[in-house]
């Protein structure tokens, strides 16, 4: 009985530690926020821009995991005089290699009334490069 316990105990500890390491891979950490508001001048030969809209990014917080998952909590404001529907194509992230990418997590359209602000958590998938900024057609970088 003691021999079985001595054999099983290291296996159980190993499985537990492995589970903790895997859980830590999914943990998001807030990225450096001192970059917000900076202007970047990456080439954009393909003229990739967000779809024209009346939405403005009020603020954003960037997060990432050790595995390279990129997420942003973004507060969006509708600057139109009436209600508008927010779609993924209205928002883009600028990555540190100059790519512009729309979020992959805004599956359904979101209705915002005139002047309404809403905070959203947006996923941009996994990437080796961090997000530098989030923008709409109203605050292009």
């Amino acid at each position: 009985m003691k021999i079985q316990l001595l054999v099983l105990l290291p296996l159980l500890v190993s499985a537990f530690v492995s589970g903790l390491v895997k859980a830590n891979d999914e943990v998001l950490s807030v990225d450096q926020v001192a970059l917000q508001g900076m202007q970047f001048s990456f080439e954009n030969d393909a003229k990739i821009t967000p779809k024209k809209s009346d939405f403005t990014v009020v603020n954003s917080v960037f997060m990432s995991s050790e595995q390279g998952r990129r997420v942003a909590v973004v507060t969006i404001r509708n600057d139109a005089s009436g209600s508008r529907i927010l779609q993924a194509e209205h928002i883009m992230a600028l990555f540190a290699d100059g790519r512009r990418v729309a979020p992959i997590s805004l599956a359904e359209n979101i209705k915002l009334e005139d002047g309404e602000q809403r905070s959203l958590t947006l996923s941009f998938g996994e990437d080796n490069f961090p997000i530098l900024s989030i923008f709409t057609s109203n605050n292009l970088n």
Side-chain angles (χ1 to χ4, degrees):
M1 183 72 150
K2 285 186 178 182
I3 293 175
Q4 288 177 342
L5 185 57
L6 289 175
V7 171
L8 285 177
L9 187 58
L11 292 174
L12 290 172
V13 169
S14 176
F16 178 73
V17 170
S18 174
L20 286 178
V21 169
K22 184 164 181 69
N24 284 340
D25 288 346
E26 296 300 316
V27 172
L28 293 171
S29 299
V30 174
D31 295 341
Q32 185 178 9
V33 294
L35 297 174
Q36 288 189 14
M38 292 182 67
Q39 295 294 316
F40 300 99
S41 298
F42 289 104
E43 289 183 28
N44 188 9
D45 294 337
K47 305 288 188 233
I48 299 170
T49 59
K51 183 178 176 181
K52 295 282 186 200
S53 71
D54 293 310
F55 298 109
T56 300
V57 174
V58 177
N59 58 54
S60 53
V61 176
F62 311 128
M63 297 175 286
S64 60
S65 72
E66 287 186 19
Q67 295 301 106
R69 187 169 159 221
R70 306 297 174 195
V71 174
V73 176
V74 181
T75 301
I76 299 285
R77 180 181 62 235
N78 175 11
D79 291 331
S81 58
S83 64
R84 295 290 186 269
I85 303 294
L86 177 66
Q87 301 170 331
E89 299 85 31
H90 292 130
I91 305 168
M92 294 201 114
L94 176 66
F95 281 80
D97 63 351
R99 283 178 299 118
R100 290 139 175 95
V101 179
I104 60 174
S105 67
L106 190 61
E108 58 186 64
N109 300 334
I110 298 170
K111 182 178 179 180
L112 295 173
E113 299 300 328
D114 60 324
E116 183 180 356
Q117 288 187 167
R118 186 160 319 160
S119 295
L120 309 165
T121 302
L122 306 174
S123 175
F124 292 88
E126 289 188 13
D127 204 284
N128 290 331
F129 291 92
I131 296 173
L132 297 178
S133 67
I134 302 286
F135 57 98
T136 64
S137 62
N138 278 349
N139 47 7
L140 283 170
N141 289 10

